[in-house]
Amino acid sequence: MRRSTVLAVAAATVSLVALVGCDGDPAPAASSTASPGATTPEAAPTSAPTATPTPAPTAVATPAPAATAVATTAGGVIDPEAALALAERTPYAATQDFTSDGGPISAVVKARVNLNGPIRSGRLAESMSVGGEDMMGGANDGPSVVVTDDGTTYIRNGSSWRTSPLGNRIADYHGYAKSLLALGPSARKGMEDCEGTPCYHLSGTVDLEQMKAVEPEQYMILKGKSVESFQLDQWIDAQGRTVRYDKKTELRGIQMRTYGTFRDFGPVEKVDPPR
């Protein structure tokens, strides 16, 4: 393969990597202290004091912690549509570990991303090699892409940062899963184990036009190279979050594959511009 062709495919590979895929207290008792200066009447015959019964302690119910909503049947089988509906209402953060390879090219992206919110944001670090040769020039000492909470994308060039005109580079993995469900029953492969997490496997051949809304930058790249479809496998958990992802595309006669995992799920995290 000529070096120019390798570098062209290498550039496409970088783009093909998913850059960024209740309590209460009882009321106080009333005071029984007499007002100062009150007069005491003449002593009158008194009856034996009547014992005031001590009220039984009132049990205060401590609310149980709210259970995390999941979308499973009585048999523990994940309902993928119900699971995706749950994830749609609950933005979350996740750690992403992705690899993209094909021919002599290999690229790795490690990221912490916020997904399913009004704006997908996060910080990504990437490394890339062609035929074992480092293409990053040894400059990969931290995040190379930052997408902030307002949607602005920054790319590092050496030691400095610049804003990117390409827009958000984090894929909408939720949208990809919905595209697979739209393929019908054939895309439903059933329950599988994802390193100890029960997952539902979705798989199918996705038309390139379905990528346009969920990953516009990749859509434009592949459209320009006459790609018409790609093979996608995706595993979601009972909360509709993507746990595994595997996409295969043929690019200029080379089989390209982008695959990886999401882990360490948690609440959405603030992402500030790089300094």
Side-chain angles (χ1 to χ4, degrees):
M1 177 184 296
R2 296 195 308 272
R3 180 172 179 83
S4 60
T5 303
V6 169
L7 293 178
V9 177
T13 302
V14 173
S15 297
L16 286 171
V17 178
L19 298 176
V20 261
C22 318
D23 348 325
D25 295 323
S31 172
S32 58
T33 305
S35 302
T39 56
T40 304
E42 291 291 325
T46 57
S47 57
T50 304
T52 303
T54 303
T58 303
V60 179
T62 302
T68 302
V70 294
T72 57
T73 66
V77 177
I78 295 171
D79 177 339
E81 279 144 336
L84 289 177
L86 279 177
E88 203 161 56
R89 300 192 297 268
T90 313
Y92 61 91
T95 297
Q96 175 186 3
D97 296 295
F98 269 26
T99 299
S100 186
D101 53 37
I105 302 165
S106 179
V108 174
V109 167
K110 295 184 178 296
R112 185 68 178 171
V113 292
N114 293 320
L115 301 173
N116 285 22
I119 294 177
R120 298 184 299 279
S121 59
R123 296 175 179 270
L124 306 92
E126 65 176 322
S127 60
M128 179 179 171
S129 65
V130 176
E133 180 184 350
D134 179 18
M135 298 296 291
M136 305 300 289
N140 187 39
D141 56 358
S144 56
V145 176
V146 172
V147 183
T148 63
D149 291 342
D150 68 359
T152 304
T153 300
Y154 295 84
I155 299 177
R156 189 174 59 190
N157 182 12
S159 60
S160 61
W161 291 88
R162 61 179 174 83
T163 58
S164 170
L166 298 176
N168 199 324
R169 300 177 70 177
I170 303 174
D172 177 7
Y173 298 98
H174 185 77
Y176 271 133
K178 292 176 74 173
S179 294
L180 286 171
L181 275 181
L183 297 177
S186 65
R188 299 168 183 251
K189 304 304 180 183
M191 295 292 293
E192 294 182 16
D193 178 81
C194 295
E195 297 186 358
T197 299
C199 293
Y200 196 94
H201 183 188
L202 299 168
S203 177
T205 300
V206 180
D207 186 272
L208 185 68
E209 292 304 313
Q210 292 178 280
M211 180 189 277
K212 188 173 184 178
V214 297
E215 204 167 3
E217 182 188 2
Q218 286 226 12
Y219 167 79
M220 294 300 296
I221 292 171
L222 297 180
K223 182 82 170 177
K225 299 182 184 303
S226 302
V227 174
E228 297 180 354
S229 62
F230 54 93
Q231 173 65 32
L232 181 61
D233 287 80
Q234 197 165 346
W235 291 258
I236 62 174
D237 66 10
Q239 293 172 257
R241 304 171 302 198
T242 298
V243 177
R244 284 179 59 194
Y245 178 89
D246 195 335
K247 181 172 67 177
K248 301 180 181 72
T249 312
E250 183 175 324
L251 182 63
R252 291 185 176 177
I254 298 176
Q255 294 296 324
M256 308 298 299
R257 181 186 177 204
T258 298
Y259 57 95
T261 61
F262 293 91
R263 56 183 170 81
D264 300 333
F265 298 109
V268 168
E269 299 166 2
K270 184 173 176 56
V271 182
D272 294 318
R275 296 181 180 180

